[in-house]
């Protein structure tokens, strides 16, 4: 977690180290270039002893003596070549760690580019690109199975068994296959107790073997889905894509298709095309849409699909990785880091919902999967498809400039209309002014939909019960002692919780500041919304989906299956339900509060509001019953909200780009944000100021087009006891990062009181 960007420029300590780009003179000595998982700019040179020469290859890890004390460090070998022994003798590699290279030459090129682009160490990128499980060679998972011991079958005295044990015996006797504990317990309707006691009696046997089954939730969902004839728009788009695949050149395509226009269908056909050439595709989706629903669609139409998401165990991830590397997989579907999947012969990369911020990693290396995918597609000479109903303005500007190709799916499939969106001005609503979440108009609409057997989705982006506890005496709201964040009341647990660091306290009767006993609860979270919905519509089933309610593995999936089966009428929740869900029976979507994003101190606030309303609206009107959207707002004239209600992306983009151009914000500039952090406020401020001054002096005259903001306290000025100050550089997008990046790295020095984080093209400005 320590992201201190400490550059060890001190070459005396780094034995053989040379500058990143320089080469040793050509000669007879075998030399390995090695990088480490540290924020280092340099590569290090080591001599390769004769006995290791055979086994060493770039892409493998090596153990080497490092630093003055020659402590053992593991690094990645990124190149091997022959050179003269330099004046200062090179140290030697002590061991080659891996039997097979962990990454290919192309992947080395890509990761090197990421290090330069995001101003971090090459070794840090490699460390993050290769799953831990792969580095450790995590073994496959073993599970315990039970079966009848055939030799003793006739010795078992059934009459002496308990009822539960009999049941276990019966189930297992009639099963051809051995069963796991879970399966057996479920089928026999008992706990694990009777199973274990049967085994202890010797009546049944247990043994361990590798679990080679697919994950349960994957397997149970391979059902055939219809193979549609594409409609005219889809055909046109596919034809263009196929043309580009055939040309074997790199091209980035922005596929703008409204929600439900059949983009996924086009992806699947494009992947089939690529597979016909014996190549593989990578599909990146936001983690949140890696639902069984999505995976099922790919599995039912393609022969071999590998899935990479964050819930895989180490051994599962390792198995998927190996399957991909062996070339047996047609398509890899995964979140951000799947952009590094070790495909043998990559033919295409697709990024669905390209506007999603989760494609940016928020720890070092802070790469954006979209930029990495673009670079990888360039290196591999293959197309990159970016799909979205609401593209980012960066992507949109690229097609305006004709850097990328625009393809459009303007209509929903089967001539379904986009749902009408009603903006509900709740400034004077009689329910809302009394503290309710659901205003009068939305309440009537819900009642109406329910009476016509429709299902309903209610969206509210605030988990917990009430987001603020406010002291009526001193006027302060209760804050986390470690963060500049108000505490959220979680009624179910009886605690006030910090959503940043998880601090919680049940001491909420009196104000922490002044001791007054008149604490008031302000605002509404999903838990309170749930209570209100249950009270108002008691005869209907309601389900809440947010990260609190969905902690258990598989709960997400079970909840959605419940909703699909229509016994749940109202689904309410956070972002979790805003994206990707496709339920034809949903006839009403309500956005409880569309304004919260608008007030964020971020130049993308409008864009995010537009995207959110468009995405949420996309969840309805997908069946024959039609659907409507009600958006509660206190800003009914705001352009982002108005254009979203009219499904008018083009006008929104035009409007917003004018502002961006005026303010020199992206896409008309790029941003580098530097956050200084330290536990002492004054020292952190001083560190921010001295570093910023040095940086400004270094780059000011060289890049006169730079706009520099700060240093200033970050919008969240304290997190986990660390004070935060930030500096933002806005620079023209055509300025190459190279020289600017070098100067930034050279000017910034971590001190003992504060370190810093460099974020290139940040998506989170808090
Ligand atoms: P998007 O990804 O643009 O939101 P999807 O690909 O999910 O759209 O398509 C929306 C729905 O329409 C899905 O249920 C899909 O199975 C269906 N669909 C897609 N293409 C066709 C088609 N050509 N004919 C009929 N139904 C289609
Ligand atoms: Zn906190």
């Amino acid at each position: 977690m320590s992201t201190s960007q400490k550059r060890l420029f001190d070459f005396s300590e780094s034995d053989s180290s040379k500058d990143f780009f320089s080469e040793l003179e050509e000669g007879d000595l075998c030399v390995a270039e090695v990088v480490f998982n540290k924020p280092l700019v340099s590569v290090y040179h080591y001599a390769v002893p004769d006995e290791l020469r055979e086994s060493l290859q770039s892409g493998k890890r090596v153990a080497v003596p490092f630093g003055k004390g020659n402590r053992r460090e593991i690094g990645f070998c990124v190149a091997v070549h022959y050179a003269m022994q330099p004046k200062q003798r090179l140290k030697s590699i002590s061991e080659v760690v891996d039997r097979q290279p962990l990454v290919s030459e192309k992947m080395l090129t890509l990761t090197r580019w990421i290090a330069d682009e995001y101003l971090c160490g090459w070794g840090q990128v490699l460390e993050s690109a290769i799953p831990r499980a792969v580095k450790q060679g995590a073994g496959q998972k073993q599970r315990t199975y039970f079966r009848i011991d055939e030799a003793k079958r006739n010795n078992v005295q059934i009459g002496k068994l308990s009822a539960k044990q009999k049941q276990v015996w019966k189930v297992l006797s009639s099963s051809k296959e051995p069963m796991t504990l879970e399966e057996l317990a479920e089928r026999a309707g008992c706990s694990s107790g009777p199973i274990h006691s049967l085994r202890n009696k010797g009546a049944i046997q247990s043994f361990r073997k590798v679990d080679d089954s697919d994950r349960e939730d994957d397997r149970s969902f391979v059902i055939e889905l219809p193979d549609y004839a594409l409609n005219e728009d889809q055909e046109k788009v596919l034809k263009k894509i196929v043309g580009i695949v055939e040309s074997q050149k790199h091209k980035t395509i922005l596929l703008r298709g409204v929600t439900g226009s059949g983009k996924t269908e086009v992806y699947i056909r494009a992947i089939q095309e690529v597979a016909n050439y014996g190549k593989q595709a990578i599909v990146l989706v936001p983690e949140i849409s890696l639902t069984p629903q999505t995976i099922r669609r790919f599995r039912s139409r393609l022969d071999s699909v590998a899935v990479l998401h964050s819930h895989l165990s180490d051994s599962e991830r390792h198995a998927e990785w190996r399957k991909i590397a062996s070339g047996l997989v047609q398509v890899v579907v995964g979140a951000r880091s799947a952009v590094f999947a070790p495909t043998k012969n990559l033919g295409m990369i697709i990024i669905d919902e390209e506007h999603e911020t989760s494609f940016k990693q928020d720890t070092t290396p802070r790469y954006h999967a979209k930029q990495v995918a673009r670079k990888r597609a360039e290196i591999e000479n293959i197309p990159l498809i970016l799909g979205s109903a609401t593209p980012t303005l960066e992507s949109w500007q690229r097609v305006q400039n004709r850097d990328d190709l625009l393809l459009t799916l303007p209509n929903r499939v089967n001539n379904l209309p986009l749902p009408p969106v009603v903006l509900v001005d709740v400034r004077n609503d009689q329910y809302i002014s009394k503290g309710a979440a659901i205003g009068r108009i939305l309440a009537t609409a819900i009642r109406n939909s329910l009476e016509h057997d429709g299902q309903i989705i209610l969206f509210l982006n605030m988990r917990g019960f009430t987001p603020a506890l406010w002291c009526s005496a001193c006027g302060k709201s209760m804050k986390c002692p470690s963060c500049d964040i108000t505490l959220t009341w979680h009624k179910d647990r009886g605690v006030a919780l910090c959503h940043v660091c998880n601090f919680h306290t049940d001491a909420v009767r009196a104000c922490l500041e002044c001791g007054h006993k008149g604490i008031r609860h302000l605002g509404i979270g999903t838990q309170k919304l749930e209570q209100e919905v249950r009270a108002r519509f008691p005869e209907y089933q309601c389900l809440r989906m947010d990260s609190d309610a969905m902690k258990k593995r598989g709960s997400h999936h079970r909840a959605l299956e419940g909703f699909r089966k229509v016994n749940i009428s109202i689904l309410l929740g956070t972002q979790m339900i805003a994206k990707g869900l496709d339920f034809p029976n949903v006839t009403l979507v309500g956005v409880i509060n569309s304004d919260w994003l608008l007030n964020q101190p971020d130049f993308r606030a409008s864009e995010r509001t537009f995207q959110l309303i468009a995405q949420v609206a996309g969840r309805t009107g997908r069946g024959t019953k039609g659907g409507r959207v009600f958006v509660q707002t206190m800003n009914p004239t705001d352009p982002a909200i108005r254009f979203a209600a009219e499904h008018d992306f083009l006008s929104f983009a035009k409007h917003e780009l004018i502002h961006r151009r005026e303010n020199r914000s992206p896409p008309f500039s790029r941003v580098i944000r530097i956050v200084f952090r330290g536990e002492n406020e004054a020292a952190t401020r001083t560190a921010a100021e001295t570093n910023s001054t040095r940086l400004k002096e270094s780059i000011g005259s060289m890049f006169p087009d730079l706009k520099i903001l700060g240093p200033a306290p970050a919008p969240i000025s304290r997190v986990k006891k660390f004070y935060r100050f930030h500096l933002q550089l806005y620079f023209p997008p055509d300025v190459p990062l190279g020289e600017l990046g070098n100067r930034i790295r050279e000017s910034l020095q971590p001190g003992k009181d504060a370190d810093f984080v460099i974020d290139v093209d940040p998506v989170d400005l808090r």
Side-chain angles (χ1 to χ4, degrees):
M1 159 81 200
S2 164
T3 27
S4 73
Q5 302 276 334
K6 198 170 293 170
R7 295 165 319 122
L8 300 182
F9 260 152
D10 177 6
F11 290 164
S12 62
E13 127 131 53
S14 59
D15 18 282
S16 58
S17 77
K18 297 241 319 165
D19 198 75
F20 202 33
F21 304 103
S22 69
E23 301 244 322
L24 297 177
E25 244 180 283
E26 225 174 284
D28 295 331
L29 178 70
C30 184
V31 174
E33 295 184 9
V34 179
V35 296
F36 299 96
N37 178 22
K38 299 171 195 288
L40 299 165
V41 186
S42 350
V43 291
Y44 290 71
H45 290 103
Y46 284 89
V48 183
D50 285 346
E51 68 272 18
L52 294 182
R53 214 172 279 189
E54 275 292 295
S55 56
L56 185 63
Q57 263 174 288
S58 57
K60 290 185 180 179
R61 284 170 307 161
V62 290
V64 298
F66 186 86
K68 285 207 183 92
N70 281 336
R71 65 177 186 281
R72 183 183 148 100
E73 284 275 352
I74 303 288
F76 292 88
C77 171
V78 293
V80 184
H81 53 82
Y82 285 86
M84 301 252 282
Q85 179 73 264
K87 265 188 238 118
Q88 200 187 356
R89 274 189 76 80
L90 294 182
K91 293 182 190 175
S92 291
I93 287 183
S94 9
E95 189 193 328
V96 177
V97 175
D98 300 305
R99 258 189 281 160
Q100 297 294 327
L102 296 176
V103 285
S104 64
E105 284 299 324
K106 280 179 180 168
M107 197 52 77
L108 286 173
T109 311
L110 182 70
T111 46
R112 159 74 185 278
W113 177 86
I114 295 171
D116 291 347
E117 190 68 11
Y118 293 95
L119 307 181
C120 57
W122 189 356
Q124 290 179 302
V125 181
L126 283 165
E127 184 66 28
S128 146
I130 306 163
R132 186 185 52 205
V134 173
K135 283 176 296 219
Q136 291 171 345
Q140 281 157 310
K141 193 169 64 181
Q142 297 245 335
R143 293 184 76 168
T144 302
Y145 289 81
F146 293 87
R147 67 181 167 211
I148 300 284
D149 186 348
E150 290 303 332
K152 295 192 190 151
R153 182 187 271 275
N154 296 328
N155 305 347
V156 177
Q157 294 176 297
I158 313 256
K160 289 201 175 157
L161 301 179
S162 74
K164 285 269 164 69
Q165 290 170 347
K166 263 186 217 152
Q167 190 56 25
V168 172
W169 171 264
K170 233 168 86 188
V171 167
L172 208 50
S173 297
S174 58
S175 165
K176 286 197 204 93
E177 304 284 336
M179 296 172 89
T180 64
L181 183 68
E182 296 79 21
E183 285 169 333
L184 186 51
E186 192 187 325
R187 294 265 298 278
C190 67
S191 67
S192 59
I195 300 174
H196 285 131
S197 53
L198 268 186
R199 184 193 49 196
N200 297 344
K201 283 190 182 47
I204 63 176
Q205 271 183 328
S206 69
F207 63 99
R208 288 178 72 75
K209 78 172 180 105
V210 170
D211 176 17
D212 48 7
S213 62
D214 265 340
R215 277 160 46 82
E216 167 199 3
D217 49 355
D218 297 341
R219 220 178 6 161
S220 47
F221 282 102
V222 182
I223 53 162
E224 285 297 310
L225 289 174
D227 211 354
Y228 307 105
L230 294 186
N231 65 31
E232 220 173 288
D233 290 329
Q234 288 171 314
E235 281 293 355
K236 254 199 255 166
V237 165
L238 183 65
K239 214 168 139 205
K240 279 264 172 54
I241 295 174
V242 170
I244 291 168
V245 171
E246 284 168 351
S247 79
Q248 307 204 1
K249 290 213 185 76
H250 165 64
K251 182 87 205 159
T252 297
I253 301 156
L254 178 64
L255 174 57
R256 189 176 79 83
V258 298
T259 53
S261 58
K263 293 186 289 296
T264 312
E265 200 58 33
V266 171
Y267 302 151
I268 290 172
R269 302 295 174 108
I271 295 165
Q272 287 170 338
E273 190 65 29
V274 166
N276 287 341
Y277 285 80
K279 295 187 171 189
Q280 301 94 44
I282 295 177
V283 183
L284 301 185
V285 299
E287 177 76 44
I288 210 165
S289 23
L290 269 175
T291 55
Q293 211 179 5
T294 312
I295 296 166
R296 173 174 49 187
R297 284 182 76 178
F298 283 97
R299 282 198 200 275
S300 82
R301 303 283 296 286
L302 295 155
D303 295 334
S304 56
V305 180
V307 180
L308 296 173
H309 56 70
S310 62
H311 294 300
L312 294 181
S313 69
D314 276 0
S315 60
E316 287 167 334
R317 187 176 303 276
H318 191 209
E320 292 294 82
W321 195 263
R322 289 218 311 238
K323 208 162 84 186
I324 298 165
S326 70
L328 288 174
V329 163
Q330 287 175 323
V331 54
V332 181
V333 185
R336 179 176 66 222
S337 62
V339 74
F340 298 112
T343 49
K344 260 202 164 152
N345 193 0
L346 189 60
M348 173 180 285
I349 307 179
I350 296 169
I351 302 189
D352 191 30
E353 312 285 3
E354 67 95 18
H355 60 277
E356 278 292 316
T357 53
S358 65
F359 291 122
K360 177 89 154 86
Q361 175 145 301
D362 59 5
T363 53
T364 308
R366 291 162 199 272
Y367 67 87
H368 199 302
K370 186 162 52 178
Q371 307 313 336
V372 176
R374 195 188 284 279
K375 190 67 193 178
R376 185 164 182 192
E378 232 174 84
I379 294 171
E380 310 250 11
N381 249 319
I382 55 166
L384 165 66
I385 302 178
L386 306 175
S388 176
T390 55
T392 57
L393 293 175
E394 285 87 345
S395 297
W396 189 243
Q397 187 61 20
R398 284 184 66 90
V399 302
Q400 303 292 301
N401 293 342
R402 310 209 179 279
D403 295 329
D404 297 344
L405 177 70
L406 176 66
L407 299 177
T408 312
L409 292 174
N411 303 306
R412 282 191 163 178
V413 293
N414 299 329
N415 298 319
L416 292 173
L418 281 167
V421 178
V422 181
L423 289 185
V424 186
D425 181 350
V426 289
R427 279 174 298 186
N428 296 314
D429 187 282
Q430 68 210 53
Y431 296 178
I432 301 249
S433 58
K434 286 194 194 114
I438 299 171
R440 194 179 52 80
I441 293 175
L442 179 55
T444 312
I446 293 175
R447 170 72 56 203
N448 200 297
S449 272
L450 289 173
E451 281 165 4
H452 289 88
D453 295 328
Q455 286 178 294
I456 292 161
I457 290 180
L458 296 178
F459 174 79
L460 174 62
N461 193 62
M462 173 56 70
R463 64 192 181 94
F465 195 79
T466 42
L469 298 166
W470 183 76
C471 171
S472 56
C474 71
K476 294 212 169 87
S477 50
M478 227 183 247
K479 280 200 174 175
C480 172
S482 310
C483 309
D484 174 29
I485 292 284
T486 57
L487 297 178
T488 299
W489 176 241
H490 283 242
K491 190 175 179 186
D492 54 346
R493 293 169 56 191
V495 296
L497 182 72
C498 170
H499 285 180
V500 168
C501 74
N502 271 333
F503 165 87
H504 52 86
T505 174
D506 56 5
V508 294
R509 299 218 182 284
C511 174
L512 294 177
E513 295 273 337
C514 72
H516 176 72
K517 290 208 174 122
I519 294 291
R520 291 178 50 192
H521 288 234
L522 299 182
I524 293 160
T526 44
Q527 291 179 8
K528 189 164 180 203
L529 175 62
E530 179 185 10
Q531 177 179 308
E532 183 176 330
V533 167
R534 288 190 194 282
R536 209 175 257 177
F537 309 102
E539 63 281 35
Y540 295 94
Q541 290 260 11
C542 147
L543 178 76
R544 170 167 63 91
M545 276 182 81
D546 55 27
S547 53
D548 299 311
M550 298 292 132
K551 282 214 172 93
K552 284 207 198 97
R553 182 168 159 166
S555 54
H556 188 246
H557 156 63
R558 276 195 298 277
L560 292 180
E561 283 311 300
F563 194 54
R564 179 187 309 287
K565 292 187 189 120
V566 200
N567 49 9
I568 292 165
S569 300
I570 303 172
L571 179 67
L572 68 90
T574 53
Q575 280 104 315
M576 226 176 244
I577 60 169
K579 321 249 157 94
L581 305 184
D582 184 359
F583 295 107
N585 199 41
V586 172
T587 55
L588 176 69
V589 166
V591 180
I592 299 300
N593 170 6
S594 60
D595 304 314
W596 62 278
L597 259 176
L598 274 182
N599 307 322
Q600 303 281 325
D602 187 321
F603 65 84
R604 292 193 181 91
S606 279
E607 183 179 359
R608 301 247 165 89
T609 303
F610 180 89
Q611 287 165 351
L612 186 76
I613 295 177
Q615 292 296 334
V616 176
R619 301 310 118 228
T620 184
R622 287 174 165 254
T624 45
K625 282 181 169 176
R628 292 187 302 165
V629 183
F630 283 70
V631 176
Q632 299 193 139
T633 175
M634 304 259 182
N635 299 283
T637 58
D638 181 88
I641 293 182
R642 262 186 29 233
F643 286 129
E646 289 155 19
H647 304 292
D648 189 354
F649 174 78
L650 297 182
S651 301
F652 170 73
K654 202 166 152 196
H655 169 90
E656 182 63 15
L657 282 172
I658 292 173
H659 281 285
R660 298 280 182 94
R661 194 188 288 275
E662 280 168 2
N663 298 327
R664 285 176 60 195
S665 308
F668 301 102
S669 67
R670 291 182 66 188
V671 183
I672 296 179
R673 179 178 188 235
I674 301 153
V675 180
F676 300 89
R677 310 175 310 179
E679 289 188 76
N680 179 306
E681 185 173 11
T684 309
R685 183 194 299 273
T686 309
E689 280 165 0
T690 39
N691 275 293
S692 300
T693 308
R694 204 163 40 233
L695 178 59
K696 285 176 187 172
E697 275 163 13
S698 164
I699 56 182
S701 56
M702 183 140 188
F703 303 98
D705 268 356
L706 228 52
K707 180 172 99 177
I708 305 184
L709 299 181
I716 300 182
S717 61
R718 195 162 172 248
V719 168
K720 297 179 188 171
K721 297 205 165 90
F722 281 81
Y723 290 90
R724 304 166 81 237
F725 290 82
H726 69 168
L727 181 74
Q728 300 177 75
L729 313 179
Y730 287 70
F731 60 103
D734 49 355
V735 169
L737 197 54
E739 184 52 28
L740 180 60
N742 287 344
R743 287 186 175 239
I744 292 173
R745 296 217 228 187
E746 277 161 22
S747 312
L748 300 179
Q749 281 163 17
K752 66 178 188 343
D753 298 319
D755 69 356
F756 58 84
V757 164
I758 305 175
D759 195 358
V760 178
D761 302 328
V763 298
D764 183 352
L765 296 174
R766 292 172 299 167

